[in-house]
Amino acid sequence: MKLEPVIGLEIHVQLKTKSKMFCGCDTNLEYAKPNSAICPICMGQPGTLPVVNHTAINFAHRICLALNFKINKYTKFDRKNYFYPDLPKGYQISQYELPMGENGYLPMVIKGEEKKIAIERIHLEEDTGKLIHPKDLDYSLVDYNRAGTPLCEIVTKPEISSPAEAKKFMQELQLLMRYLEVSDAEMENGQMRCDGNISLRPIGEDKLYPKTEIKNLNSFKALEKALEYEIKRQTEIWERGAIPGRVVTKEIKLPLTYAIKGQKEIITDQQETMGWDENKNQTVLQRVKETLADYRYFPEPDIPPMEFSDADLKRIEKSQIPELPWQKRKRFRDQFGLVGDETEVLIQNESLANYTENVISELVSWLSSTSEIEGTTEEIWERDGGKISKMALSWVVNRLKVALDNQGIDLNNSKVGPENMAELITLVYGSRINSTTAQKILDIMVENGGDPSQIIEAGDLNQVSDKKDLSTIIDQVIAKNPEQVKEYQAGKLPLLKYFVGQTMKLSKGKADPQVIEELLIERLR
Ligand code: ZN
Ligand code: MN
């Protein structure tokens, strides 16, 4: 029997609001002392009233628009009751049957095919505090600073078909949160947390079998590894002839009134909740989950339900959201012919993407104003747009970004503007300088700024491409190395590299290695 995994994800994203979900407490907790960013409201003291954070509502709507959700006209908050030491009120204010949005999707490209991962719902809720278990103490500590911080929970449908796909979905969602500027979504800081739901089923069936839920996966790696482990564990159970999470009781010992006449066995599906043990590299059973009824959801009596008027909804739908990662990816492919890993560097880094686009447009105007290159801006773009874009991409990602990183300079504080960068690339494109010289110029630009032609004049970096000048240098190299010339002519051809090196050295790196090689072969023959 061939089995396939069925995976759904529940993601909690911490929203970047200034204050908490229902009170004015600060959410910037990096330097806050434990239990300093709290107030009677987020501590749930009697007589206090929560007030909804408007920015959190706006952020949720932005996410709804980006992920194609149907935005609910009516929505409300509910109490989800459960006890946990870091939940000061003994309940969490969340949203149950009327979430902010329903039936969205995130478009992805899986093995070259477009796939829309369906998302069931998105709702707002508040975070809990934090428990700390110091190793040298026999009691635990609790810090309530985080209690009441706004969270947005995103629940996908069980439509993800592999651990790698789950990881990719999470990475794309993280990027989206950053594009929308609603969360930094840093997993290692707990700003984005993920629970993975997984079951297996025989290929060809569409029903769902009991799932296990793996809680609090705090890295992409943990998510992928935990799901892979569960597939292995559940496969072994299937292979034993049992179904994971399904408990079959043969003899029923129920009170008479509950027993159904003639029934010999009873099947119950358990919701197994697992944790991921990073050291042991395996999932471990934490508990068999309470059912929904155990949470005793009821409408939050202290917060009136919300209704968005038709005018509100129109305004929300028309509100501006930035170009989304997948839109940018598509546009870079269609407009510039840019795809692949280097392009992905731009998709992940908005300012680098904007910079590259500026370089490309500057580049086209530079090229059209260069005497050696024929044609108008449009003609050049028509003829060579793809090549120009790839050159710009490569110079920005592989040269400029690397040089800036080496110097610890942020692109936004860089002295190399798109116009000067474009001029430099133009010089390479028109073979005025070779790429070794260009690199030298770029290093100077990174350090001191300035435009490339001035740097060339000041530093005498013009390429020696005049064959007459080069011939003189080659004459010198040949004269200086009679032994090597004999060996080369006797058949030791790899020596050519040595002659090229010597010539480069004499030309102070200004010659084009390609041209040198051609001239040398000719002369040595
Ligand atoms: Zn508070
Ligand atoms: Mn939740």
Side-chain angles (χ1 to χ4, degrees):
M1 178 169 49
K2 281 226 160 208
L3 297 162
E4 63 177 3
V6 182
I7 300 167
L9 300 175
E10 292 177 27
I11 300 120
H12 286 90
V13 177
Q14 204 180 83
L15 297 176
K16 251 198 320 198
T17 53
K18 285 201 178 75
S19 57
K20 290 188 183 178
M21 189 65 226
F22 303 110
C23 64
C25 287
D26 203 344
T27 52
N28 184 6
L29 303 172
E30 208 179 336
Y31 302 108
K33 274 199 214 157
N35 299 308
S36 64
I38 56 171
C39 75
I41 297 171
C42 53
M43 289 298 97
Q45 290 186 20
T48 60
L49 282 176
V51 175
V52 176
N53 184 327
H54 202 280
T55 308
I57 300 281
N58 288 344
F59 282 2
H61 279 151
R62 276 165 87 80
I63 301 171
C64 283
L65 288 177
L67 292 174
N68 315 288
F69 277 98
K70 179 190 153 274
I71 293 173
N72 278 336
K73 184 175 170 62
Y74 301 98
T75 176
K76 67 177 172 69
F77 285 95
D78 302 276
R79 283 191 186 177
K80 184 182 184 182
N81 296 278
Y82 60 101
F83 176 78
Y84 217 67
D86 56 12
L87 187 70
K89 297 199 284 264
Y91 61 84
Q92 178 190 33
I93 305 180
S94 180
Q95 295 189 294
Y96 185 42
E97 77 270 59
L98 290 172
M100 298 302 294
E102 290 173 90
N103 294 322
Y105 67 86
L106 186 147
M108 293 211 300
V109 177
I110 307 288
K111 291 174 192 156
E113 303 264 315
E114 198 172 309
K115 179 177 175 181
K116 290 174 177 167
I117 306 282
I119 307 174
E120 199 165 291
R121 56 185 276 139
I122 169 176
H123 69 252
L124 286 168
E125 58 185 32
E126 55 178 343
D127 208 348
T128 61
K130 255 184 205 165
L131 280 172
I132 297 139
H133 312 286
K135 277 204 184 76
D136 49 345
L137 298 179
D138 59 0
Y139 51 87
S140 294
L141 299 166
V142 60
D143 177 3
Y144 287 118
N145 278 353
R146 202 181 65 182
T149 300
L151 291 179
C152 154
E153 182 172 335
I154 294 167
V155 184
T156 77
K157 292 203 169 136
E159 289 190 355
I160 297 170
S161 50
S162 73
E165 200 175 305
K167 183 172 128 191
K168 204 170 167 191
F169 176 91
M170 280 294 282
Q171 286 170 332
E172 197 71 346
L173 195 69
Q174 180 186 56
L175 190 58
L176 176 69
M177 295 303 149
R178 292 174 179 172
Y179 268 54
L180 295 174
E181 293 178 56
V182 296
S183 175
D184 292 330
E186 211 68 81
M187 285 191 89
E188 54 267 41
N189 301 341
Q191 290 161 346
M192 186 161 98
R193 285 164 264 162
C194 174
D195 304 335
N197 293 313
I198 178 165
S199 63
L200 302 184
R201 72 174 162 213
I203 288 177
E205 286 188 23
D206 4 288
K207 80 171 176 201
L208 295 169
Y209 286 88
K211 64 188 180 193
T212 54
E213 182 179 16
I214 318 164
K215 279 277 178 200
N216 282 326
L217 297 162
N218 56 11
S219 70
F220 296 123
K221 192 174 137 220
L223 169 69
E224 200 176 16
K225 288 244 160 149
L227 290 172
E228 275 165 7
Y229 182 85
E230 266 302 297
I231 291 173
K232 208 177 104 213
R233 191 186 71 87
Q234 292 188 20
T235 303
E236 281 162 13
I237 298 173
W238 275 90
E239 279 167 357
R240 285 206 305 268
I243 291 171
R246 180 155 292 175
V247 186
V248 181
T249 317
K250 289 268 186 230
E251 286 168 66
I252 307 166
K253 286 173 188 155
L254 291 171
L256 204 64
T257 44
Y258 289 96
I260 300 161
K261 215 181 163 191
Q263 191 176 343
K264 287 273 156 54
E265 62 177 34
I266 186 164
I267 299 172
T268 43
D269 289 346
Q270 282 183 316
Q271 170 85 67
E272 292 172 326
T273 301
M274 318 287 279
W276 174 243
D277 187 326
E278 214 142 43
N279 301 318
K280 288 188 191 151
N281 260 317
Q282 64 182 56
T283 55
V284 277
L285 184 67
Q286 287 181 333
R287 61 191 154 98
V288 175
K289 197 183 182 173
E290 51 271 63
T291 60
L292 279 177
D294 293 331
Y295 286 128
R296 302 291 190 277
Y297 276 105
F298 64 83
E300 166 61 57
D302 289 340
I303 304 173
M306 287 175 282
E307 178 186 348
F308 299 100
S309 68
D310 293 336
D312 284 336
L313 289 175
K314 269 219 181 80
R315 182 183 45 76
I316 293 163
E317 269 151 32
K318 283 208 180 109
S319 62
Q320 291 292 312
I321 52 168
E323 182 179 43
L324 304 172
W326 45 93
Q327 293 167 340
K328 198 186 270 295
R329 219 174 262 130
K330 183 177 182 305
R331 187 171 61 81
F332 272 42
R333 188 193 64 206
D334 296 349
Q335 194 176 337
F336 304 124
L338 298 179
V339 291
D341 289 348
E342 284 172 350
T343 308
E344 198 52 32
V345 174
L346 301 188
I347 304 298
Q348 302 285 332
N349 185 331
E350 210 187 351
S351 45
L352 204 63
N354 293 339
Y355 183 90
T356 308
E357 281 200 60
N358 290 337
V359 171
I360 293 172
S361 70
E362 292 284 350
L363 199 47
V364 175
S365 46
W366 265 108
L367 290 172
S368 60
S369 66
T370 305
S371 53
E372 295 112 65
I373 295 155
E374 276 177 39
T376 63
T377 312
E378 289 76 25
E379 285 164 353
I380 292 170
W381 183 252
E382 186 68 30
R383 189 175 67 223
D384 245 0
K387 192 179 165 195
I388 292 164
S389 305
K390 284 192 188 89
M391 234 172 134
L393 173 71
S394 170
W395 273 88
V396 171
V397 171
N398 300 327
R399 307 266 191 154
L400 176 64
K401 177 81 169 44
V402 172
L404 290 173
D405 287 350
N406 286 342
Q407 303 275 328
I409 302 167
D410 188 79
L411 179 69
N412 298 318
N413 302 323
S414 147
K415 290 175 181 159
V416 187
E419 198 192 338
N420 287 338
M421 193 66 205
E423 188 189 352
L424 182 68
I425 301 170
T426 307
L427 293 171
V428 180
Y429 184 87
S431 298
R432 287 273 316 283
I433 53 175
N434 66 19
S435 64
T436 318
T437 307
Q439 181 66 55
K440 279 185 199 159
I441 297 170
L442 181 63
D443 290 339
I444 296 169
M445 286 162 72
V446 167
E447 202 147 323
N448 309 320
D451 71 74
S453 44
Q454 278 172 4
I455 294 170
I456 290 171
E457 272 165 40
D460 187 28
L461 289 160
N462 257 317
Q463 182 149 333
V464 187
S465 58
D466 189 334
K467 294 200 177 163
K468 218 179 98 205
D469 286 353
L470 267 181
S471 291
T472 323
I473 297 173
I474 286 172
D475 281 343
Q476 290 172 27
V477 170
I478 286 175
K480 268 192 197 163
N481 298 286
E483 286 302 311
Q484 284 84 348
V485 172
K486 260 187 217 156
E487 282 177 50
Y488 176 86
Q489 285 167 340
K492 202 173 169 188
L493 298 179
L495 269 174
L496 184 66
K497 280 218 161 55
Y498 169 79
F499 293 118
V500 175
Q502 292 297 305
T503 315
M504 280 300 277
K505 215 166 157 188
L506 268 184
S507 77
K508 294 182 189 130
K510 288 189 287 179
D512 186 335
Q514 195 83 42
V515 179
I516 298 179
E517 210 173 290
E518 283 162 23
L519 286 174
L520 272 168
I521 292 173
E522 210 175 287
R523 280 299 299 279
L524 288 165
R525 198 187 286 146

